[in-house]
């Protein structure tokens, strides 16, 4: 039987990831088939043009995709691959990565992620989209 994560356990998984701690990532929503990851946009996460570095956006997409998959498949998952399309420069106060399950199979979960920035005025701007295939590593015993 697969043990699914709840918000409390998912937040513990996130807290155990050193890079997630480094960027200050927070899991703000987590339910079956969905996950939202957020973090404040800081100067040390920008590239030379003053926008969020593509690698940081890639991290956010990768982790949000994995957490969405974990919401239906349990914590024993890992990214098999993902693609990301950068739509516009990412700048603002907050980065939000919302991921949802598109299809959950026995060994793979396909997810989509929308990455948006939130400005000081609360306006949300879509800056990138990603799709990923998440491998289910094993079934956790309860």
């Amino acid at each position: 039987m697969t043990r699914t994560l709840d918000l409390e356990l998912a937040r513990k998984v996130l807290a155990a990831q050193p890079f997630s701690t480094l960027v200050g990532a927070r899991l703000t929503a987590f339910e079956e088939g969905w996950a939202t990851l957020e973090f404040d946009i800081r100067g040390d996460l920008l590239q030379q043009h003053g926008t969020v570095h593509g690698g940081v956006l890639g991290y956010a997409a990768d982790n949000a995709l994995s957490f969405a998959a974990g919401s239906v498949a349990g914590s024993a998952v890992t990214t098999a691959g993902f693609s990301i399309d950068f739509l516009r420069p990412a700048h603002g106060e907050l980065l939000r990565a919302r991921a949802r399950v598109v299809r959950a199979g026995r060994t793979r979960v396909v997810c989509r992620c929308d990455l948006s920035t939130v400005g000081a005025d609360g306006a949300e701007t879509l800056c990138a989209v990603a799709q990923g295939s998440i491998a289910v590593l094993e079934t956790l015993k309860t």
Side-chain angles (χ1 to χ4, degrees), residues 75-129:
S75 63
V77 297
T78 192
T79 304
F82 76 95
S83 64
I84 187 166
D85 290 298
F86 301 106
L87 306 176
R88 62 180 50 90
H91 49 81
E93 303 291 315
L94 178 81
L95 183 72
R96 179 175 292 144
R98 283 192 190 100
R100 68 176 174 83
V101 172
V102 174
R103 182 182 184 281
R106 187 176 51 80
T107 61
R108 295 286 168 134
V109 181
V110 175
C111 300
R112 176 193 160 99
C113 181
D114 291 339
L115 295 108
S116 300
T117 55
V118 180
D121 61 357
E124 194 168 325
T125 304
L126 184 67
C127 61
V129 294

Side-chain angles (χ1 to χ4, degrees), residues 12-108:
K12 287 179 182 177
V13 170
L14 182 68
Q17 299 173 353
F19 191 77
S20 293
T21 301
L22 179 70
V23 299
R26 302 176 295 277
L27 197 58
T28 59
F30 186 83
E31 58 187 70
E32 187 173 345
W34 292 89
T36 302
L37 187 73
E38 295 181 350
F39 53 88
D40 298 326
I41 295 174
R42 308 183 317 246
D44 59 344
L45 301 177
L46 306 180
Q47 41 87 310
Q48 72 276 16
H49 299 296
T51 61
V52 178
H53 191 283
V56 174
L57 293 169
Y59 151 78
D62 178 24
N63 232 14
L65 292 164
S66 294
F67 273 99
S71 76
V72 297
S75 63
V77 297
T78 192
T79 304
F82 76 95
S83 64
I84 187 166
D85 290 298
F86 301 106
L87 306 176
R88 62 180 50 90
H91 49 81
E93 303 291 315
L94 178 81
L95 183 72
R96 179 175 292 144
R98 283 192 190 100
R100 68 176 174 83
V101 172
V102 174
R103 182 182 184 281
R106 187 176 51 80
T107 61
R108 295 286 168 134

